Each structure stands twice: as C-alpha cells, then as structure tokens.
Amino acid sequence: MDLCITKSWEMNNNSYIITGPTSGIGYATALALAKHGNLILVGRNEQKLQEVKKTIETSGGCAFTVVCDLSDIHSVRSAAKEIIALGLPVKGLLNNAGIMPSKPGKNAQGWDITFATNHLGTFAFTEALASMLPDGANILTVASAIEDPERKPAKIMGMKGGRFLSVAASAGGEWKAGGSKMPGIDAYATSKQCILAATLALARQDLRLHYNALEPGITRGTNLGGEDTPAFLRFLFGHLMAIIPPFSRFSSTPQKTARVIVQLLSSDTGKTGIYFDEKGKPMLASEQVRQPEFQDLVLSETRALLLAIK
Ligand SMILES: NC(=O)c1ccc[n+]([C@@H]2O[C@H](COP(=O)([O-])OP(=O)(O)OC[C@H]3O[C@@H](n4cnc5c(N)ncnc54)[C@H](OP(=O)(O)O)[C@@H]3O)[C@@H](O)[C@H]2O)c1
C-alpha cells in the first residue's frame, strides 16, 4: 500500500481534493493546503501534476495525482472513481479549475468548452464525489463576480454578466442577446453564473455536506485567459488593476486567495450556502442567481443534460 495512504489512516489525517493545482490560485492553494493534510491533485496534465506532487513531498507533504480533463464528462467520471478507490478521509473538495478562452471551442461531447469545463464538468465531478464524502465535508467552488451584470469593475469593462437562456443553449454556445463585445466573456460569465447557482441549490438540498462558493478577486499572476489573451489585457489584469480604483479594491494575489481558501476548506464552522469574497467575507450573487427558482432550474437542467451522457 502507498506510504501516504497508510500514514493518512494512521494519523487520521484529513485529505483535500483540489482541481487545477498546476497553476495560479490552485497552485498557491495546493502548497498552502499541503500543511493541513494530504492532497489529491486533479489536473489534465500528468507531467505538471507530478511536478506539483514533487514540490509538496520535498517539503514533507503528501500528494496523490489523478489525471482528469474536466471538460470531458467521461474523464470526470473515471477520475471520480479513481479518487473514491483511494479510500482517503476527505475533509474538503476545492473546485478551482477553470478557463476563459477568447476563441470558441468544443469539448469531447461537442459542447462549448468554457461552459463544459467551468460548469458541466465541475458539477459532474462534485456530484460523482458527493456520496463518498463524509458528513460535514466542505465543498468550495471558485466562481466569479463577472456573472453579475451590476458588478462595478466588470461593468466598466463592458461586461454584461451571465447570459443564461437554458443549460442546453449554453452547452450549445448560445447566449442571451446583448452581451459583451469581448470575445469569450459571455461564455465565461454564464458558466460562472450556472456553477454558482447550482452550488447554492445544492447547499439548500443536501444538508449533509457544506457547499460554498468563492469570488477570488481580480487575481494577478495567473494563467487565466492563456496565451491568446492580448498583451495589453494581460498587463491590465496583471499589474494595472492592482493600483487603479475601483479595481484595486478587489485586487488579490494567488497567495492571498489561497489563505482564504485554506481557511474556508479546513473550517469546522458548518457554514453552507455562502458566497464569499476575496477577503473571506459573505457577498451577494447577482439578482438572478439569488433567486432559489433560478438555482433549482439550473440544477435540474444540468442534471438532465448530464444524465443523457452514457
Ligand atoms: N484570476 C482571476 O482574476 C480570477 C477571477 C475570478 C475567478 N477566477 C477563477 O479562479 C480559478 C483559477 O483560475 P486562475 O486564475 O488560477 O487560472 P489558471 O492559472 O489558468 O489556472 C487554471 C487551472 O485550471 C486547470 N484546468 C483548466 N482546464 C482544465 C481542464 N479541462 N481539466 C482540468 N484542469 C483544467 C489548469 O490546468 P493547466 O495547468 O493544465 O492549464 C490550471 O491548473 C478559475 O476557476 C477561474 O475562473 C480567477
């Protein structure tokens, strides 16, 4: 048996599952969280996962790796089975992986790649694992305030919030008219609108576990947007927003956000259904996402769409 697993059971160590630990917020969180328990690192790139595992174990931590493409529902389901087979005492799951490409793309099921990764895959992963998590486990999902059309910094940049028509329409890459002129933003905002709504619905429906969400702030120095983000936007997000009001008020770094995440994920307070800001304080979702009817609609439509994938 793997030494980490033996150590974990003998010491009654907590374990944490973290998606997207190979970069940005997820990487900073993995390093910080490794001091609180064993990690199950879930990512799409085996080599990058091994590098993070090595860094953690060099500092005395313990980490397992599970390869998973969160945009692909089949990959999500087999990764969840692999994690369950590890048999570790999981205290928390961090749904952190996410993308914001400016060019449209499709996943293995032919769905919009951004919506598939940030909402459908993340939701499928959560549901596949939920029944194996012990009572009171914390599930924290990284959302984004970009879903709110009234959010000041996003509004100034010409973003129009989530553009939800239906879950099936979003999977097909169709958004409510009148959206943002910036490529990829409607897909991103709608994916975050849906995962936030579904998280709040799960919190009301499943009282055995604790479901919360986090807006991590405008976090500089990550790879969000990737190589195809124009250099000016990279500079804007990476540096200028940290000093220009009103953006600076919401500015964060991967390390600062990681501290908030570690606190929420390792907490025993039993809080559920709360949307936290980058400082770990409760904040409001958009008016639409705050409606329980909307949350339940997103939940049921998402489950129906995923059920059709055999
Ligand atoms: N940065 C911000 O200002 C900001 C603001 C609001 C919300 N967020 C959210 O914060 C989260 C982390 O973002 P970040 O800024 O740290 O970005 P990042 O540096 O690009 O990290 C994203 C992580 O997700 C992983 N990932 C992407 N697609 C995946 C897939 N299909 N399957 C598995 N893993 C996948 C990436 O893996 P690879 O290393 O293999 O690419 C990487 O580890 C995201 O959910 C993002 O939407 C960020």
Side-chain angles (χ1 to χ4, degrees), residues 144-151 154 160-162 284-287 290:
S144 172
I146 204 174
E147 66 86 19
D148 184 354
E150 296 308 321
R151 177 79 166 179
K160 310 281 185 179
L284 287 179
S286 62
E287 207 182 324
R290 291 205 299 270

Side-chain angles (χ1 to χ4, degrees), residues 123 139 141 194-204 211-213 273 299:
F123 180 87
I139 300 176
T141 297
C194 287
I195 198 63
L196 180 56
T199 300
L200 299 176
L202 286 170
R204 282 188 292 102
Y211 297 86
N212 295 297
L299 187 70

Side-chain angles (χ1 to χ4, degrees), residues 36-279:
H36 297 258
N38 305 307
L39 299 193
I40 303 168
L41 306 168
V42 181
R44 59 183 167 178
N45 182 312
E46 169 76 43
Q47 198 189 329
K48 284 192 196 175
L49 286 175
Q50 288 305 329
E51 280 163 21
V52 181
K53 175 182 163 76
K54 197 170 155 199
T55 306
I56 286 169
E57 295 190 344
T58 306
S59 322
C62 183
F64 304 87
T65 62
V66 174
V67 176
C68 174
D69 177 353
L70 277 160
S71 75
D72 178 356
I73 304 307
H74 296 300
S75 174
V76 165
R77 287 176 183 158
S78 71
K81 279 190 194 142
E82 215 181 301
I83 292 170
I84 292 168
L86 286 171
L88 291 167
V90 175
K91 183 174 173 79
L93 158 63
L94 176 68
N95 287 316
N96 160 75
I99 55 168
M100 190 181 69
S102 54
K103 293 184 191 108
K106 301 255 180 249
N107 80 335
Q109 283 74 45
W111 294 334
D112 177 86
I113 190 82
T114 304
F115 194 73
T117 308
N118 298 355
H119 175 59
L120 297 169
T122 297
F123 180 87
F125 188 64
T126 305
E127 287 244 287
L129 290 172
S131 62
M132 65 71 83
L133 298 179
D135 292 356
N138 292 317
I139 300 176
L140 183 67
T141 297
V142 182
S144 172
I146 204 174
E147 66 86 19
D148 184 354
E150 296 308 321
R151 177 79 166 179
K152 208 170 174 190
K155 220 173 163 178
I156 293 171
M157 305 245 338
M159 296 167 180
K160 310 281 185 179
R163 312 300 302 167
F164 182 84
L165 290 167
S166 71
V167 168
S170 306
E174 228 189 294
W175 324 107
K176 192 159 111 194
S180 168
K181 290 197 170 50
M182 289 167 76
I185 291 300
D186 290 349
Y188 182 72
T190 311
S191 70
K192 292 297 186 179
Q193 175 186 35
C194 287
I195 198 63
L196 180 56
T199 300
L200 299 176
L202 286 170
R204 282 188 292 102
Q205 294 187 11
D206 177 7
L207 301 180
R208 197 179 69 76
L209 302 173
H210 302 140
Y211 297 86
N212 295 297
L214 174 79
E215 144 59 34
I218 303 169
T219 309
R220 56 191 181 275
T222 79
N223 282 333
L224 196 70
E227 295 300 310
D228 55 345
T229 305
F232 168 70
L233 276 186
R234 278 186 163 267
F235 183 62
L236 185 70
F237 278 102
H239 303 282
L240 292 185
M241 283 199 170
I243 47 176
I244 306 173
F247 305 103
S248 49
R249 210 184 111 204
F250 304 100
S251 169
S252 189
T253 65
Q255 290 71 24
K256 272 192 204 166
T257 304
R259 281 197 288 276
V260 174
I261 292 175
V262 169
Q263 212 213 337
L264 295 175
L265 216 54
S266 59
S267 144
D268 287 315
T269 57
K271 286 181 182 159
T272 191
I274 300 180
Y275 181 28
F276 293 96
D277 71 8
E278 73 284 357
K279 295 184 180 67

